[in-house]
Amino acid sequence: MATGRPCIVISDEEQGYDLDLFCIPKHYVNDLERVYIPHGLILDRTERLAREIMCDMGGHHIVALCVLKGGYKFFADLLDYIKALNRNSDRSIPMTVDFIRLKSYCNDQSTGEIKVIGGDDLSTLTGKNVLIVEDIIDTGKTMKTLLQLLKRYNPKMVKVASLLVKRTPRSVGYRPDFVGFEVPDKFVVGYALDYNEYFRDLNHICVISESGKEKYKA
Ligand code: HPA
Ligand code: MG
């Protein structure tokens, strides 16, 4: 996985931090195991990704495409940092935004088929520099399929920024252009990542506890 820029690699041995060291919503204290990536570190890493994105995509209008719902926090903070760069440097790039949701066909059995829901007509991406912003790349199947789909609309350039990439044997080998953190094969929540829609209202990225899984089971 040595292609592209380096990211923060969280090892399989990483234990994270005791919940009592941070502020956690009371309604979740029994549902989480550990704080894995504190909110402040997410923001600091995002600030740096904003610089790298501007460096690689600079010079042309960018369409920032948020993959909902999980990507919304990363998207909002990343764009804030890009806006700060734009207003504080001699060079600046105009940016427009769009929001999509992806539904996998067939019960998420990863048939490789997806449906894009919402957002503007994808033909608006023709000739544009597109930055897809995603919360996590797990197997990578969905992103690969999305990229294939977008190609049909002839964008000038497509780059992908994902806050997290999971190290998993189920990976199809897809690696995004910009990555915040590489994480072990554990289920993480918080900072808009969910477990059956819960935990999006949590600032830190945490590992869910067994009781949490049971409590919020679908
Ligand atoms: N957490 C939340 N959503 C996810 C994950 C995860 O670990 N992997 C794929 N989608
Ligand atoms: Mg996602």
Side-chain angles (χ1 to χ4, degrees), residues 72-96:
Y72 97 89
K73 281 297 295 171
F74 179 46
F75 184 82
D77 288 328
L78 182 66
L79 264 63
D80 277 352
Y81 283 120
I82 292 177
K83 280 157 55 195
L85 290 172
N86 271 332
R87 65 179 180 265
N88 289 303
S89 62
D90 299 330
R91 239 163 39 106
S92 77
I93 312 170
M95 212 169 22
T96 51

mmCIF file of all heavy atoms in Angstrom, residues 72-96:
data_model
loop_
_atom_site.group_PDB
_atom_site.id
_atom_site.type_symbol
_atom_site.label_atom_id
_atom_site.label_comp_id
_atom_site.label_asym_id
_atom_site.label_seq_id
_atom_site.Cartn_x
_atom_site.Cartn_y
_atom_site.Cartn_z
ATOM 1 N N TYR A 72 -20.580 13.590 6.092
ATOM 2 C CA TYR A 72 -20.935 15.001 6.239
ATOM 3 C C TYR A 72 -20.037 15.799 7.185
ATOM 4 O O TYR A 72 -19.743 16.962 6.947
ATOM 5 C CB TYR A 72 -22.424 15.162 6.590
ATOM 6 C CG TYR A 72 -22.759 15.333 8.047
ATOM 7 C CD1 TYR A 72 -22.802 16.600 8.628
ATOM 8 C CD2 TYR A 72 -23.034 14.230 8.845
ATOM 9 C CE1 TYR A 72 -23.114 16.752 9.972
ATOM 10 C CE2 TYR A 72 -23.344 14.381 10.174
ATOM 11 C CZ TYR A 72 -23.384 15.639 10.745
ATOM 12 O OH TYR A 72 -23.673 15.795 12.065
ATOM 13 N N LYS A 73 -19.549 15.179 8.257
ATOM 14 C CA LYS A 73 -18.688 15.915 9.196
ATOM 15 C C LYS A 73 -17.327 16.189 8.557
ATOM 16 O O LYS A 73 -16.810 17.304 8.608
ATOM 17 C CB LYS A 73 -18.489 15.115 10.489
ATOM 18 C CG LYS A 73 -19.635 15.186 11.460
ATOM 19 C CD LYS A 73 -19.888 16.596 11.970
ATOM 20 C CE LYS A 73 -18.728 17.138 12.804
ATOM 21 N NZ LYS A 73 -18.933 18.591 13.092
ATOM 22 N N PHE A 74 -16.753 15.165 7.978
ATOM 23 C CA PHE A 74 -15.456 15.307 7.326
ATOM 24 C C PHE A 74 -15.557 16.336 6.201
ATOM 25 O O PHE A 74 -14.685 17.201 6.046
ATOM 26 C CB PHE A 74 -15.011 13.934 6.798
ATOM 27 C CG PHE A 74 -13.698 13.919 6.073
ATOM 28 C CD1 PHE A 74 -12.577 14.574 6.583
ATOM 29 C CD2 PHE A 74 -13.566 13.234 4.872
ATOM 30 C CE1 PHE A 74 -11.357 14.548 5.909
ATOM 31 C CE2 PHE A 74 -12.354 13.197 4.194
ATOM 32 C CZ PHE A 74 -11.255 13.859 4.704
ATOM 33 N N PHE A 75 -16.631 16.263 5.439
ATOM 34 C CA PHE A 75 -16.866 17.193 4.333
ATOM 35 C C PHE A 75 -16.912 18.638 4.841
ATOM 36 O O PHE A 75 -16.238 19.523 4.313
ATOM 37 C CB PHE A 75 -18.181 16.819 3.648
ATOM 38 C CG PHE A 75 -18.524 17.627 2.428
ATOM 39 C CD1 PHE A 75 -17.976 17.315 1.190
ATOM 40 C CD2 PHE A 75 -19.411 18.690 2.506
ATOM 41 C CE1 PHE A 75 -18.309 18.040 0.063
ATOM 42 C CE2 PHE A 75 -19.742 19.421 1.372
ATOM 43 C CZ PHE A 75 -19.193 19.099 0.149
ATOM 44 N N ALA A 76 -17.699 18.858 5.885
ATOM 45 C CA ALA A 76 -17.873 20.225 6.407
ATOM 46 C C ALA A 76 -16.552 20.773 6.946
ATOM 47 O O ALA A 76 -16.177 21.919 6.658
ATOM 48 C CB ALA A 76 -18.940 20.235 7.497
ATOM 49 N N ASP A 77 -15.819 19.968 7.699
ATOM 50 C CA ASP A 77 -14.563 20.451 8.284
ATOM 51 C C ASP A 77 -13.483 20.615 7.210
ATOM 52 O O ASP A 77 -12.729 21.585 7.223
ATOM 53 C CB ASP A 77 -14.100 19.501 9.399
ATOM 54 C CG ASP A 77 -14.994 19.625 10.638
ATOM 55 O OD1 ASP A 77 -15.508 20.731 10.891
ATOM 56 O OD2 ASP A 77 -15.186 18.616 11.340
ATOM 57 N N LEU A 78 -13.432 19.666 6.277
ATOM 58 C CA LEU A 78 -12.446 19.756 5.192
ATOM 59 C C LEU A 78 -12.669 21.025 4.365
ATOM 60 O O LEU A 78 -11.727 21.749 4.050
ATOM 61 C CB LEU A 78 -12.562 18.512 4.294
ATOM 62 C CG LEU A 78 -11.576 18.410 3.133
ATOM 63 C CD1 LEU A 78 -10.144 18.242 3.630
ATOM 64 C CD2 LEU A 78 -11.939 17.242 2.220
ATOM 65 N N LEU A 79 -13.929 21.295 4.045
ATOM 66 C CA LEU A 79 -14.214 22.494 3.251
ATOM 67 C C LEU A 79 -13.919 23.774 4.029
ATOM 68 O O LEU A 79 -13.496 24.767 3.445
ATOM 69 C CB LEU A 79 -15.652 22.470 2.717
ATOM 70 C CG LEU A 79 -15.718 21.927 1.276
ATOM 71 C CD1 LEU A 79 -15.255 20.504 1.163
ATOM 72 C CD2 LEU A 79 -17.099 22.098 0.676
ATOM 73 N N ASP A 80 -14.131 23.746 5.341
ATOM 74 C CA ASP A 80 -13.760 24.917 6.144
ATOM 75 C C ASP A 80 -12.259 25.199 6.032
ATOM 76 O O ASP A 80 -11.839 26.350 5.918
ATOM 77 C CB ASP A 80 -14.142 24.702 7.615
ATOM 78 C CG ASP A 80 -15.608 25.044 7.875
ATOM 79 O OD1 ASP A 80 -16.261 25.589 6.959
ATOM 80 O OD2 ASP A 80 -16.086 24.758 8.986
ATOM 81 N N TYR A 81 -11.462 24.149 6.075
ATOM 82 C CA TYR A 81 -10.005 24.345 5.963
ATOM 83 C C TYR A 81 -9.618 24.797 4.551
ATOM 84 O O TYR A 81 -8.731 25.624 4.384
ATOM 85 C CB TYR A 81 -9.254 23.058 6.337
ATOM 86 C CG TYR A 81 -9.190 22.835 7.829
ATOM 87 C CD1 TYR A 81 -9.752 21.694 8.410
ATOM 88 C CD2 TYR A 81 -8.558 23.752 8.671
ATOM 89 C CE1 TYR A 81 -9.704 21.486 9.779
ATOM 90 C CE2 TYR A 81 -8.499 23.548 10.040
ATOM 91 C CZ TYR A 81 -9.072 22.410 10.592
ATOM 92 O OH TYR A 81 -9.016 22.211 11.943
ATOM 93 N N ILE A 82 -10.276 24.245 3.543
ATOM 94 C CA ILE A 82 -9.989 24.673 2.170
ATOM 95 C C ILE A 82 -10.377 26.150 1.998
ATOM 96 O O ILE A 82 -9.652 26.939 1.403
ATOM 97 C CB ILE A 82 -10.708 23.764 1.145
ATOM 98 C CG1 ILE A 82 -10.094 22.357 1.175
ATOM 99 C CG2 ILE A 82 -10.613 24.350 -0.265
ATOM 100 C CD1 ILE A 82 -10.779 21.337 0.260
ATOM 101 N N LYS A 83 -11.513 26.530 2.583
ATOM 102 C CA LYS A 83 -11.939 27.937 2.506
ATOM 103 C C LYS A 83 -10.935 28.854 3.196
ATOM 104 O O LYS A 83 -10.657 29.958 2.718
ATOM 105 C CB LYS A 83 -13.320 28.098 3.156
ATOM 106 C CG LYS A 83 -14.451 27.664 2.221
ATOM 107 C CD LYS A 83 -15.711 27.276 2.966
ATOM 108 C CE LYS A 83 -16.222 28.340 3.897
ATOM 109 N NZ LYS A 83 -17.218 27.790 4.852
ATOM 110 N N ALA A 84 -10.382 28.390 4.323
ATOM 111 C CA ALA A 84 -9.383 29.200 5.035
ATOM 112 C C ALA A 84 -8.144 29.396 4.152
ATOM 113 O O ALA A 84 -7.589 30.500 4.092
ATOM 114 C CB ALA A 84 -9.008 28.534 6.354
ATOM 115 N N LEU A 85 -7.742 28.348 3.449
ATOM 116 C CA LEU A 85 -6.600 28.477 2.538
ATOM 117 C C LEU A 85 -6.931 29.454 1.419
ATOM 118 O O LEU A 85 -6.115 30.286 1.038
ATOM 119 C CB LEU A 85 -6.233 27.110 1.942
ATOM 120 C CG LEU A 85 -5.619 26.079 2.889
ATOM 121 C CD1 LEU A 85 -5.502 24.732 2.190
ATOM 122 C CD2 LEU A 85 -4.255 26.547 3.376
ATOM 123 N N ASN A 86 -8.129 29.345 0.897
ATOM 124 C CA ASN A 86 -8.550 30.201 -0.217
ATOM 125 C C ASN A 86 -8.567 31.683 0.154
ATOM 126 O O ASN A 86 -8.289 32.536 -0.675
ATOM 127 C CB ASN A 86 -9.945 29.795 -0.699
ATOM 128 C CG ASN A 86 -9.894 28.722 -1.772
ATOM 129 O OD1 ASN A 86 -8.932 28.619 -2.523
ATOM 130 N ND2 ASN A 86 -10.937 27.918 -1.848
ATOM 131 N N ARG A 87 -8.910 31.982 1.412
ATOM 132 C CA ARG A 87 -9.008 33.402 1.753
ATOM 133 C C ARG A 87 -7.707 33.960 2.303
ATOM 134 O O ARG A 87 -7.595 35.158 2.534
ATOM 135 C CB ARG A 87 -10.179 33.652 2.711
ATOM 136 C CG ARG A 87 -10.069 33.030 4.069
ATOM 137 C CD ARG A 87 -11.280 33.376 4.940
ATOM 138 N NE ARG A 87 -11.142 32.754 6.240
ATOM 139 C CZ ARG A 87 -11.684 31.575 6.581
ATOM 140 N NH1 ARG A 87 -12.443 30.929 5.723
ATOM 141 N NH2 ARG A 87 -11.469 31.071 7.779
ATOM 142 N N ASN A 88 -6.727 33.072 2.521
ATOM 143 C CA ASN A 88 -5.468 33.539 3.097
ATOM 144 C C ASN A 88 -4.259 33.363 2.194
ATOM 145 O O ASN A 88 -3.139 33.475 2.656
ATOM 146 C CB ASN A 88 -5.207 32.821 4.433
ATOM 147 C CG ASN A 88 -6.171 33.291 5.509
ATOM 148 O OD1 ASN A 88 -6.241 34.477 5.796
ATOM 149 N ND2 ASN A 88 -6.938 32.375 6.075
ATOM 150 N N SER A 89 -4.491 33.023 0.928
ATOM 151 C CA SER A 89 -3.325 32.899 0.048
ATOM 152 C C SER A 89 -3.567 33.646 -1.257
ATOM 153 O O SER A 89 -4.702 34.033 -1.563
ATOM 154 C CB SER A 89 -2.992 31.433 -0.210
ATOM 155 O OG SER A 89 -4.064 30.799 -0.852
ATOM 156 N N ASP A 90 -2.527 33.835 -2.008
ATOM 157 C CA ASP A 90 -2.622 34.597 -3.260
ATOM 158 C C ASP A 90 -3.410 33.841 -4.312
ATOM 159 O O ASP A 90 -4.014 34.421 -5.194
ATOM 160 C CB ASP A 90 -1.212 34.896 -3.793
ATOM 161 C CG ASP A 90 -0.421 35.736 -2.805
ATOM 162 O OD1 ASP A 90 -1.057 36.516 -2.066
ATOM 163 O OD2 ASP A 90 0.809 35.612 -2.767
ATOM 164 N N ARG A 91 -3.354 32.501 -4.193
ATOM 165 C CA ARG A 91 -4.050 31.649 -5.146
ATOM 166 C C ARG A 91 -5.334 31.153 -4.512
ATOM 167 O O ARG A 91 -5.323 30.774 -3.346
ATOM 168 C CB ARG A 91 -3.169 30.421 -5.418
ATOM 169 C CG ARG A 91 -2.769 30.217 -6.858
ATOM 170 C CD ARG A 91 -1.585 29.253 -6.921
ATOM 171 N NE ARG A 91 -1.683 28.150 -5.971
ATOM 172 C CZ ARG A 91 -1.974 26.902 -6.315
ATOM 173 N NH1 ARG A 91 -2.229 26.595 -7.557
ATOM 174 N NH2 ARG A 91 -2.003 25.946 -5.412
ATOM 175 N N SER A 92 -6.419 31.147 -5.234
ATOM 176 C CA SER A 92 -7.620 30.536 -4.663
ATOM 177 C C SER A 92 -8.423 29.844 -5.757
ATOM 178 O O SER A 92 -8.311 30.186 -6.931
ATOM 179 C CB SER A 92 -8.462 31.581 -3.925
ATOM 180 O OG SER A 92 -9.174 32.376 -4.834
ATOM 181 N N ILE A 93 -9.204 28.851 -5.342
ATOM 182 C CA ILE A 93 -9.968 28.048 -6.296
ATOM 183 C C ILE A 93 -11.448 28.128 -5.955
ATOM 184 O O ILE A 93 -11.824 27.846 -4.811
ATOM 185 C CB ILE A 93 -9.563 26.564 -6.221
ATOM 186 C CG1 ILE A 93 -8.049 26.400 -6.251
ATOM 187 C CG2 ILE A 93 -10.207 25.766 -7.338
ATOM 188 C CD1 ILE A 93 -7.615 24.980 -5.932
ATOM 189 N N PRO A 94 -12.304 28.470 -6.922
ATOM 190 C CA PRO A 94 -13.737 28.441 -6.626
ATOM 191 C C PRO A 94 -14.211 27.000 -6.441
ATOM 192 O O PRO A 94 -13.685 26.076 -7.071
ATOM 193 C CB PRO A 94 -14.387 29.073 -7.858
ATOM 194 C CG PRO A 94 -13.374 29.025 -8.933
ATOM 195 C CD PRO A 94 -12.020 28.895 -8.300
ATOM 196 N N MET A 95 -15.162 26.831 -5.548
ATOM 197 C CA MET A 95 -15.634 25.493 -5.244
ATOM 198 C C MET A 95 -17.150 25.483 -5.184
ATOM 199 O O MET A 95 -17.757 26.399 -4.636
ATOM 200 C CB MET A 95 -15.080 25.097 -3.871
ATOM 201 C CG MET A 95 -14.810 23.638 -3.764
ATOM 202 S SD MET A 95 -13.888 23.185 -2.313
ATOM 203 C CE MET A 95 -14.151 24.472 -1.193
ATOM 204 N N THR A 96 -17.756 24.472 -5.759
ATOM 205 C CA THR A 96 -19.191 24.279 -5.575
ATOM 206 C C THR A 96 -19.376 22.927 -4.890
ATOM 207 O O THR A 96 -18.457 22.106 -4.869
ATOM 208 C CB THR A 96 -19.946 24.310 -6.922
ATOM 209 O OG1 THR A 96 -19.322 23.408 -7.827
ATOM 210 C CG2 THR A 96 -19.939 25.702 -7.521
#
